[in-house]
Amino acid sequence: ELKVEQNPLFLSMQEGKNYTIYCNYSTTSDRLYWYRQDPGKSLESLFVLLSNGAVKQEGRLMASLDTKARLSTLHITAAVHDLSATYFCAVAGASGYALNFGKGTSLLVTP
Amino acid sequence: DVKVTQSSRYLVKRTGEKVFLECVQDMDHENMFWYRQDPGLGLRLIYFSYDVKMKEKGDIPEGYSVSREKKERFSLILESASTNQTSMYLCASSSPSLSGGTEAFFGQGTRLTVV
């Protein structure tokens, strides 16, 4: 059974600080996806990581993938309130079609 | 602008009712999915479909069925709704293989309450 584990599950951080969210998964995969969900809203795609060593950046967020360690990280630089949301990582399951999600990291950025 | 549209944002149904949740995508995607989202449990896959009339069980198919008669439409059916099916339901679609690197696009969600 494919497992996707995120930590931390809850994160409260001050504006201006840096932090990293971790995503471990239990299967061999070189495809990993990060999504963002705002309260009451649906999921929005953030990053698609397609190979070992892939790194993508968008604004204050940077995602990376280490397929050998089965680990992806989402790094937040100089957090701002607008980044408050829940962040999910996901990996394609055995079918290759459906995504298996982590439980999500609920991020709150405070002044 | 890509779109996955779910027929209802909020739905309240009674225990024992048959419930239909509809999802339509306009991206000509082959794959479509139904997830439910519960606090502390993340998203769990109920069913998915990789082609018209084809379906595969996900992790929690019990109490649900699906229908895909047309490529753009994927329906989730609760045969006899129960209170433990109160949840947020999310529909998604994607192109043929997520292992090929294309992401899934999600609808806005249907919050279903069974009373």
Side-chain angles (χ1 to χ4, degrees):
Chain A
E1 179 191 342
L2 170 58
K3 291 188 177 179
V4 182
E5 294 184 348
Q6 287 182 238
N7 72 84
L9 297 182
F10 299 96
L11 177 56
S12 179
M13 57 190 298
Q14 285 186 309
E15 283 186 328
K17 299 290 188 184
N18 305 333
Y19 207 83
T20 300
I21 298 169
Y22 298 88
C23 174
N24 290 90
Y25 55 96
S26 63
T27 189
T28 54
S29 176
D30 57 359
R31 306 285 189 263
L32 190 128
Y33 306 81
W34 283 96
Y35 286 84
R36 168 182 171 143
Q37 185 179 38
D38 292 297
K41 301 283 182 68
S42 190
L43 275 74
E44 172 191 354
S45 178
L46 283 176
F47 299 111
V48 179
L49 302 170
L50 299 181
S51 61
N52 186 41
V55 177
K56 289 201 173 176
Q57 184 160 6
E58 176 87 23
R60 300 173 188 273
L61 299 177
M62 184 174 72
S64 65
L65 178 61
D66 180 344
T67 59
K68 294 179 182 176
R70 300 181 186 177
L71 171 68
S72 180
T73 60
L74 181 66
H75 186 72
I76 303 154
T77 301
V80 293
H81 180 69
D82 286 351
L83 291 179
S84 297
T86 300
Y87 294 86
F88 291 93
C89 64
V91 177
S95 70
Y97 301 116
L99 287 177
N100 287 67
F101 283 82
K103 292 185 178 180
T105 296
S106 181
L107 171 65
L108 176 64
V109 181
T110 57
Chain B
D1 196 18
V2 297
K3 260 204 162 162
V4 179
T5 303
Q6 296 180 227
S7 54
S8 305
R9 288 295 306 274
Y10 301 95
L11 216 48
V12 179
K13 295 292 182 181
R14 294 195 180 278
T15 301
E17 275 193 77
K18 190 169 187 176
V19 181
F20 294 85
L21 303 183
E22 308 284 349
C23 176
V24 177
Q25 51 99 359
D26 65 358
M27 295 169 281
D28 201 36
H29 283 167
E30 280 78 2
N31 303 329
M32 295 188 75
F33 312 88
W34 277 105
Y35 290 87
R36 67 176 278 177
Q37 183 177 18
D38 300 288
L41 297 178
L43 277 77
R44 293 178 292 167
L45 181 66
I46 305 171
Y47 268 97
F48 69 97
S49 168
Y50 53 88
D51 201 351
V52 175
K53 297 192 187 293
M54 306 302 289
K55 61 185 178 184
E56 293 281 347
K57 292 180 180 179
D59 299 316
I60 51 164
E62 297 79 18
Y64 303 94
S65 62
V66 290
S67 172
R68 191 155 180 215
E69 297 296 320
K70 293 186 177 181
K71 189 176 185 180
E72 67 271 16
R73 187 180 297 269
F74 192 35
S75 303
L76 179 70
I77 303 154
L78 286 65
E79 297 290 342
S80 177
S82 64
T83 54
N84 63 13
Q85 293 178 308
T86 292
S87 186
M88 171 70 89
Y89 290 88
L90 292 165
C91 174
S93 72
S94 73
S95 48
S97 171
L98 283 173
S99 296
T102 54
E103 70 264 46
F105 296 89
F106 282 81
Q108 77 275 29
T110 297
R111 185 165 294 281
L112 172 67
T113 302
V114 182
V115 297

